[in-house]
Amino acid sequence: PQPPDSDSVDLGGMVALEVEEGSAGLAASSSGGSPRETVTTFCDGAGLAEMHGKEATSDLGGSDATRDLESKILGDVARELESNNVDKMAKEIFSFYICARWAPDETFWQLAEQELAAQMVDSALNDTSSDDPDGDINQTMAEMYQSYRFVPMLCSQNLEVFGETDDEDKTYFRKFKTKTRELAKWLGQAAQTPVGKSLTELDKTFCGDKPMNSCNRDDLLSKIAAWFGNEPSKETKFEKLKEKLQDFGGAAKTEKFKEDFKDWKKRLPYHSFIGKPKGWEADHKKSPSSAQRFVVCFGKRVASELHRRPNGQHILTDQNNIGCHGWWTAEEASKQIDRMVKLWAPPTCQLATMTYTMKKEIMAKFQEMNERLFDSMPSMINDELMEEELDGEFNHEDHLPKPFAPKEWTDGSRVFVDGMRVQAVKKGGFCVREDEPGHCQRGFMVKEDWIGVVEVVAGKLQAKFSGLPEDARETSFEIKPSEVRIVPHGWKAKKGFHGHVKDLVAGIGKIHDKAKAIFDSFFSKRQNNLAELMSGSVSKWAVCPIKQDANFSALDENLGVEDAAFQDFQLDAYKKWTGFEKAIPGEKCVDSAEILGSVPGFEKTQVCEINELHADHVEKYTKNESSGELENFVCPLRPPLPADEQLAVLMKKKGTCFLRMTGTQQQQYSWHYQGRFPARKQNDRKENLPKTDYELVRLMKVGGNELESQTNIGRFCSLQELSQSPRFCVLPKVHNEWSSLEDFASSMADSIAAVAVKTGPGKDDVDAMAPLGLGATAMSDAISSYQGKLEQKEKTWKEKAKKVSIALGEKTWDKLRGAGRLARSTAYYIKDKIKGEVASAGRMSAELEQRLFGSDINGEVLHSLSFQRSIGANAQSSNAKERFQRYVVSYPCPDFDPAFEYAVRTRWGRIALRMVREAFHIHKHKTIAGGGMAILGKRNLHLAVRGDALRFQKENKEAKDNTFFMTGASMLWKNGVEIRGEKMDKCEWTGPVHGTGSCQPEGRCMVKGLLRSCVPKPWWDSPQKGGWWPVDDRKLVDVVAPAMTTGHGVSVSDLSGLEMSLYCGPKKAFGSQGPPESSQSPPSLLECLKEGVETNARLKSKEPWKLYFPDEIVVVATFEAIQSQACMLSQAGLQSKDKQAIQSELCRQSGADGRGELVEHLVDGQGEPHMKEEAGSNDRFMGLATGFGWPTGALEEVVLSPEDVLEALDLISSSHGR
């Protein structure tokens, strides 16, 4: 059931126990395994007597006296263990009791009349409907019960977790569970017993099935009248109601009822009540129903000293109700108790954590006592010194400043008052003490301008001066009015005269310093020495010698273990004197070799301990009571840091990654997180050692302290892959980096923008896919990191240029932020961008995002970073428990920037696929022997793409800027230049010219002119013969040539050129660079791609928990910069008076004008460009140039999957972004 609303549980007001009804005292436990039973069974009485200084044989008269003495000493020791025991003191708090809302029977009626008399009088006086101002006692009592101003309760004894031990396994919890289950079983059927039914019916007396406080007085009187079958007077009605209430459990009941009544009283022997003067003030709909009668309360029941009301006839004590919950039906209360048992079972570690915390609080109180004593000692020593100085007659009250009673002195013209400030005015000063007549004693000359305080003594004008010798500052000296002048009251001496005066008035200035000196030199030093000894030490009480014939196995069953956490308390307790500072878990790390030994793959790692766990802590737990099978579990010795705090500690380790188990790895190796389910076993008693299979992650952002708060991570690589194939982990070199932060951020924004994805065959089956899970923190980190790089790079730049280079515009920030990214990621925004998009781009983005980023709740993330090893028992006690060290494994990864990596890998993966797709569309008709496609028939594929710029000059000579460029790009199938294409069909329309028709074959043909003629592309012969061809894909053009707007402002230096090599093979075949070993790769690229899809699917299905597969087939696209440039001047350019300038502008490399074969596809037989119509009929073509060198932000290589290439070429079915 859901817990009730907060205002439905109201136990406020006075709560009392009627002690007369039963004893709340606790008998000393003598159950098996208790300290008393252990001492009496296994201690050697004679040896113990000797330890206590008693020699039985010589001092005692006989064997009976000896036994009496030994018994007495054993009893003293047992009582000491039970009552003077911090461990027991801490554990005693773990208990609960239950209370049932009872009937106001005769016992409670008398209790209320005597103990709540004042409350009853108030209720009667407030009854404006009564003719009798004194009210009717029966009516008042009934209404107090009905309105919850008086709630009778029967309560159980406390059931303590650590009260008694079980006879079989000697554990406390098993005994506690047995008792609790018996109580829960009784509660489960209590509502159906005669008493339970009668209690329910009793409440219904008032308002029927509605809450008993929901009907008004008239309704109640009507119900009583109907109940008795006549119309008695109001007084008679309430008299009858009193009889019914008081008779609950009376003599007229059946024998079965009486037996049940006794059983209720036996189980709930303690009478208490809730007295709430204003009664139930909340909505009566939230008050308990007649069946909701039980509360369950944590902690000790008695909350105060015994006391008595004025004229009261009962001894009372307050009852603790702080930890109560309810109101429950009997069945609900039974289930709540069962839940409590499950939650507190030792494997959940709840008891271990709470016991540690409670013990620490107790120890902190002891520590506070010690520190309070030492903080008070200087003042106490001061009083002792004062007492010595005054011959034992020191009373500090005599030396306190007295109430103000200022005296006055006047010379007739001025009035001087005690405490008045005066200033010396006599030139040369004046003497206040002479050592001989006419000679002033050294130091007693009051100098001009000194400030003094007036004191009128015995009718004489005197003053105290702070400038006098120290032993004279408390003495006032007689002065003449002419020697001083009165100054403002707030004036002070230059050296804090006001402070001196304060000390002098209190009379403790000199002694206080002496007392402090004594404390510092003697007591403080001695305590420091003691603290050095005690801090980190172990103190033991040798309780008794063991009997010679003792059964040590039986003894060990009764014994616990050394409290390993106690040393923590000792270190903390003496920190005031030792300066000890507790280490923060996870802050200190050591080389892995110290913990893990020499394990291959872990050479660069460190281990950071975050906790120590002990087996069977706080005690073992019997999982199956019939078979005696024990649960294997461990619990933290110290409560761990909350997950968010621990992760925050780890996140502060800049440039560090941590080893992490993925969800499938946790599943495979049974390392399950149970933090969401606190009533389950939390920690298995097992080792969970780190493996190189696991991945390294970087903590990007840690969530808050709410249960479901998320932590974001960046996923780097597995240790195994980093060791065996680092090429597939570390981001390759980025060439020609961005010169400004704005350019860098713009490139990032473009890379993380949404891509259009076909989600089905229909025209409108379009959606947007964008990495919205890529958090703002990751983006900010990437920007910040690059900004820092620019700052380092540009230290020598002028400040103005530097500020420009590292500034970031608002529009660019908007593209990077979530809202701006979302606006650019809607289907509406990208619907018109689907044409020309790489088919596999959306899926690739999603897969790369999943590969590089992750998030989960804080606790789950911390658990996935945690490993555990056994460090054995500490051998400090016979029952020492196995210990486990919980730790994380760190690895330096200062260069891992997941957001940046996502951006460049995404961008260059798409560029590689666009190049392959472009080449495929142009050359797919070419075949090799056997009929296969030549473009994918070789083992590798080598392509080149370069930017082209065509220079035009406008005919208008007067124009200030009469030149402009048109930019484009060209490609070449480098390892296919020898392959010639077969003659293709002529160009013609398929379908209507206007509408859905298309000009085919698509790669060879184009639409021209207003009449939409379907004609061959003018450059088609060039690729047919293995040469270059112009690129239609504008996004590919933009990689190597500046985006074309007006054409003005374009420079040939903005052009670039790339060569790309595409390799396919298993990861293990690739070295640190270059192609794979050919012996391990299929004979053709197409075969490798198709086999790769099946091979990879099989590998990942067979071992889904693995991250690295040496046999996984990958496609690697490597990039190199084109080193040579080509240029050409047209006939008009050669004839121009600016020929030299044009040639210098276009031909940036020696010999560039001699490579005409590289540009012949761009011009016709007359040397005019094919795109001249786009430039304008009156614009003169002056020449062209090609690009070379790296484009901005070029990645040296990118890794693709076989399906990425196949889907981009439409050679497998579309993933539709899946």
Side-chain angles (χ1 to χ4, degrees), residues 24 172 203 222 259 322 376 381 411 510 514 561 565 643 649 687 739 789 893 933 958 1035 1098 1120 1174 1190:
Y172 288 99
D203 280 9
S222 298
E259 287 299 316
I322 301 300
S376 304
I381 294 170
D411 61 356
K510 178 177 64 177
K514 183 177 180 182
V561 296
V649 170
E687 289 195 315
S739 59
K789 184 183 291 188
C893 59
M933 286 183 292
E958 302 301 321
K1035 287 190 175 181
R1098 182 176 64 254
E1120 293 182 15
E1174 300 175 33
W1190 289 103

Side-chain angles (χ1 to χ4, degrees), residues 345-626:
T348 69
C349 299
Q350 296 282 329
L351 281 178
T353 299
M354 290 190 294
T355 301
Y356 179 97
T357 303
M358 191 64 205
K359 193 177 292 187
K360 187 175 182 180
E361 290 296 322
I362 295 171
M363 297 296 182
K365 222 17 106 172
F366 299 159
Q367 175 186 344
E368 183 184 346
M369 294 176 192
N370 202 20
E371 291 180 355
R372 279 176 179 244
L373 171 63
F374 273 79
D375 288 344
S376 304
M377 280 182 69
S379 64
M380 295 168 69
I381 294 170
N382 179 84
D383 287 352
E384 291 166 7
L385 291 171
M386 289 289 290
E387 194 168 324
E388 288 179 11
E389 190 169 295
L390 299 174
D391 296 326
E393 296 182 0
F394 173 66
N395 182 352
H396 76 277
E397 293 181 356
D398 296 337
H399 296 265
L400 294 175
K402 300 299 185 288
F404 290 101
K407 295 185 287 292
E408 295 182 1
W409 185 93
T410 180
D411 61 356
S413 61
R414 290 183 295 174
V415 177
F416 293 85
V417 184
D418 280 346
M420 181 181 283
R421 282 5 178 215
V422 293
Q423 186 177 35
V425 295
K426 186 177 180 181
K427 295 292 184 180
F430 57 89
C431 183
V432 293
R433 177 185 291 175
E434 295 180 339
D435 53 5
E436 58 184 61
H439 187 270
C440 191
Q441 186 176 334
R442 184 184 177 90
F444 284 84
M445 177 66 72
V446 175
K447 296 180 180 180
E448 186 179 359
D449 291 338
W450 278 17
I451 300 291
V453 176
V454 169
E455 185 175 18
V456 179
V457 181
K460 295 180 180 180
L461 178 62
Q462 297 185 349
K464 297 176 182 178
F465 294 93
S466 63
L468 295 176
E470 186 176 353
D471 60 354
R473 290 173 185 169
E474 58 185 300
T475 306
S476 59
F477 297 90
E478 188 173 358
I479 60 173
K480 297 175 182 178
S482 60
E483 294 174 334
V484 296
R485 66 180 173 189
I486 298 171
V487 295
H489 187 72
W491 282 25
K492 300 175 183 178
K494 294 181 179 178
K495 295 185 179 180
F497 176 75
H498 180 49
H500 287 303
V501 171
K502 182 178 179 181
D503 285 345
L504 293 170
V505 171
I508 62 170
K510 178 177 64 177
I511 297 180
H512 181 275
D513 293 339
K514 183 177 180 182
K516 190 173 186 302
I518 292 174
F519 174 78
D520 289 341
S521 65
F522 185 68
F523 292 100
S524 181
K525 182 177 181 181
R526 181 174 296 185
Q527 182 62 13
N528 285 339
N529 294 339
L530 175 66
E532 288 295 337
L533 173 64
M534 299 298 261
S535 180
S537 67
V538 176
S539 301
K540 302 288 184 181
W541 169 28
V543 177
C544 69
I546 302 171
K547 290 178 178 178
Q548 291 185 356
D549 59 348
N551 182 331
F552 280 85
S553 296
L555 171 60
D556 285 345
E557 287 184 3
N558 284 19
L559 298 178
V561 296
E562 177 184 66
D563 189 347
F566 196 79
Q567 292 183 33
D568 282 3
F569 302 143
Q570 283 187 310
L571 288 167
D572 208 41
Y574 290 99
K575 64 184 180 183
K576 182 181 179 74
W577 297 279
T578 63
F580 167 76
E581 292 185 10
K582 183 179 291 186
I584 299 174
E587 196 171 53
K588 181 181 178 182
C589 304
V590 299
D591 288 341
S592 292
E594 295 183 29
I595 306 298
L596 308 177
S598 299
V599 181
F602 287 87
E603 292 81 5
K604 295 182 180 180
T605 63
Q606 288 193 317
V607 165
C608 317
E609 181 177 339
I610 58 175
N611 214 325
E612 183 178 319
L613 302 93
H614 287 198
D616 299 333
H617 183 52
V618 289
E619 66 174 8
K620 63 184 178 182
Y621 180 71
T622 303
K623 179 166 63 174
N624 188 321
E625 294 181 7
S626 59

